[in-house]
Amino acid sequence: MPEIRTETMTVNMGPQHPSTHGVFRLVLELDGEVIVKAKPTIGYLHTGIEKTAEQKKWQQVIPLMERMDYLGAQSNSLSYALAVERLLGLEMPDRVKWIRVLLVELQRINSHLVWLGTHAMDLGAVSVMLYCFRERELILNINEMIAGFRMFPSYIRVGGLREDLPRGFHEAVTELLDRMPGKITDYEDLLTKNSIFMQRTQGVGTFSLEQCYQYALVGPLARASGSTYDVRKAFPYCGYETFDFEVATRETGDVYGRYLVRLQEMRESVKICRQALERISPTGTYQVDDPKVVPPPKDKVYTEMEALIQHFLIYSQGFAVPAGEAYVPIEGPRGEHGSYVVSEGTNRPLRVHFRSASLLACQAMEPMVVDALIADVVAIIGSTDIVMGDVDR
């Protein structure tokens, strides 16, 4: 028998491939259809947001934050606002905390809907995307209601919120929350017991809990492998310790397990949103009572010279933050998202840096896809839920 000699082939997957969920490139070395080596390449979407933030006043950084993980915009701005408020020594009123919790949990549902729709479409279940985006539109409508912007509302600000809740807010959110449990069941009916979906996801992209620790993976990726770490439970913020919810976990560590974790997370977020909405009065305080940070009410600006001067100073010069540094993590849609800010005591940050869950998921891509088939790479990338804006900052 003559000796059979084979040679590997190197191919590029991305950065334009639609299933890489952004401008992400994987250089794959193939032996037939089996991957023997993979090299993830990032940097095609570099925005320089962290550096740009150094040229902005503290409050002006908020719109930049929301454009990093663009599917978790409110979570980004919350993490940053909490870090700056820690340096300022500010404690938010309870009503502000509950509104923030409600908004970031709606954002988590929004992000998971985009993930589920695009992930299922990658695997051939096109109709799921239409179902998910139908409910996502309702959440975007709520963003538009509170701030006039659908994806990047910039509603969470340092010192509180942009303005009070609009009329009809409670009714719109209640209608959405009443609708969601049945719709999540619909998604499950389409996929969870679907034989094709199960064959494409079960046992694919398996990552053990030990490997998650080695690569510092958190969020749904780690919880699908048995981790119980959730920032909302481990390091509560915004009063999360007063809410009743469970941490979604699975033990399989594969693509299918990550799918089940995110579905359960949506159900838990609905529970948290209901509790938060019950605590929020239709009108009330929406900012901290500190005239050095938040502008005075408009009625005082129009009638008092001191208020007019303070209004002018805040909008023209901003506010100074005491010298120091702070790091505040929150549980974003993709896991722990942390904001690290450094102040020299001026009206601009000296340094702003973020812990990106998506970046760590990109690092773990190689061991996930080695020994898998090319078709499995599509499922694995989708299951990580990476957002390249969160990677190339």
Side-chain angles (χ1 to χ4, degrees):
M1 289 289 292
E3 182 183 356
I4 298 176
R5 300 180 62 185
T6 62
E7 60 181 43
T8 60
M9 178 172 61
T10 301
V11 298
N12 283 301
M13 186 171 180
Q16 291 85 21
H17 199 289
S19 72
T20 57
H21 292 258
V23 278
F24 175 59
R25 177 185 178 210
L26 266 178
V27 182
L28 303 175
E29 185 177 336
L30 306 175
D31 182 4
E33 286 195 44
V34 178
I35 296 158
V36 296
K37 189 181 296 185
K39 181 183 178 183
T41 308
I42 63 175
Y44 296 96
L45 194 64
H46 183 58
T47 55
I49 284 177
E50 291 182 350
K51 188 64 178 177
T52 304
E54 298 173 14
Q55 316 303 321
K56 302 293 183 181
K57 294 190 281 287
W58 291 97
Q59 200 74 275
Q60 290 176 324
V61 178
I62 293 286
L64 295 175
M65 300 302 94
E66 297 194 333
R67 285 158 175 80
M68 295 188 310
D69 178 359
Y70 42 81
L71 295 178
Q74 311 245 41
S75 297
N76 299 353
S77 53
L78 175 60
S79 175
Y80 170 77
L82 290 174
V84 178
E85 287 163 3
R86 179 173 293 181
L87 289 178
L88 288 166
L90 297 179
E91 179 65 27
M92 293 299 106
D94 283 347
R95 185 171 183 268
V96 173
K97 292 180 182 178
W98 309 148
I99 295 174
R100 286 178 167 183
V101 166
L102 174 61
L103 293 178
V104 296
E105 292 302 326
L106 288 177
Q107 184 81 70
R108 191 185 315 279
I109 298 172
N110 177 1
S111 177
H112 285 355
L113 287 174
V114 175
W115 164 80
L116 178 60
T118 55
H119 180 50
M121 186 167 61
D122 286 344
L123 301 180
V126 179
S127 57
V128 179
M129 186 272 290
L130 302 175
Y131 279 61
C132 292
F133 273 62
R134 177 188 59 194
E135 273 67 63
R136 182 192 181 224
E137 280 296 305
L138 301 177
I139 299 177
L140 295 183
N141 289 344
I142 292 171
N143 282 346
E144 189 173 11
M145 176 184 289
I146 62 175
F149 296 89
R150 294 172 67 77
M151 280 192 68
F152 309 116
S154 296
Y155 187 71
I156 296 174
R157 304 287 179 91
V158 177
L161 306 168
R162 169 182 153 163
E163 58 192 14
D164 203 358
L165 297 173
R167 283 178 292 183
F169 176 81
H170 279 61
E171 291 77 8
V173 175
T174 300
E175 182 180 349
L176 171 71
L177 298 180
D178 289 343
R179 177 189 181 101
M180 280 308 300
K183 299 305 178 183
I184 296 173
T185 300
D186 288 346
Y187 312 148
E188 288 189 292
D189 290 343
L190 287 167
L191 290 176
T192 304
K193 298 299 183 182
N194 184 299
S195 60
I196 298 175
F197 183 77
M198 293 169 69
Q199 290 172 20
R200 291 294 305 275
T201 56
Q202 289 183 338
V204 174
T206 303
F207 223 54
S208 69
L209 183 58
E210 183 62 31
Q211 287 175 300
C212 290
Y213 291 151
Q214 291 171 353
Y215 283 85
L217 294 185
V218 289
L221 286 177
R223 289 194 285 271
S225 298
S227 171
T228 57
Y229 176 70
D230 187 308
V231 181
R232 296 171 294 179
K233 293 285 190 181
F235 306 103
Y237 54 93
C238 290
Y240 264 107
E241 65 276 10
T242 66
F243 288 87
D244 177 28
F245 68 100
E246 302 296 326
V247 176
T249 61
R250 288 294 186 276
E251 300 290 337
T252 56
D254 56 4
V255 173
Y256 191 71
R258 294 163 204 151
Y259 155 78
L260 294 175
V261 163
R262 290 190 179 98
L263 275 183
Q264 187 180 343
E265 281 192 0
M266 284 197 282
R267 293 192 183 277
E268 296 300 322
S269 289
V270 170
K271 286 170 51 180
I272 296 172
C273 287
R274 287 193 187 280
Q275 297 171 59
L277 192 64
E278 290 173 359
R279 304 180 188 186
I280 300 170
S281 57
T283 59
T285 181
Y286 59 91
Q287 291 177 325
V288 71
D289 185 17
D290 189 338
K292 298 191 298 297
V293 176
V294 299
K298 278 296 179 67
D299 57 337
K300 290 189 176 181
V301 172
Y302 293 144
T303 57
E304 299 177 12
M305 178 57 69
E306 294 81 3
L308 177 62
I309 293 172
Q310 185 62 21
H311 179 276
F312 173 78
L313 288 174
I314 287 179
Y315 280 106
S316 62
Q317 302 298 321
F319 50 82
V321 172
E325 58 186 67
Y327 173 78
V328 175
I330 64 144
E331 185 66 31
R334 268 147 285 284
E336 181 180 326
H337 174 89
S339 293
Y340 173 68
V341 297
V342 183
S343 173
E344 282 188 312
T346 67
N347 65 340
R348 286 177 169 81
L350 174 68
R351 182 77 173 95
V352 180
H353 181 62
F354 302 95
R355 183 201 189 278
S356 161
S358 295
L359 176 62
L360 297 166
C362 287
Q363 289 186 149
M365 200 69 71
E366 179 180 3
M368 276 191 194
V369 303
V370 168
D371 295 330
L373 301 175
I374 295 178
D376 292 336
V377 176
V378 174
I380 294 169
I381 293 176
S383 75
T384 60
D385 194 19
I386 54 174
V387 170
M388 295 312 294
D390 196 29
V391 176
D392 297 331
R393 302 178 308 284

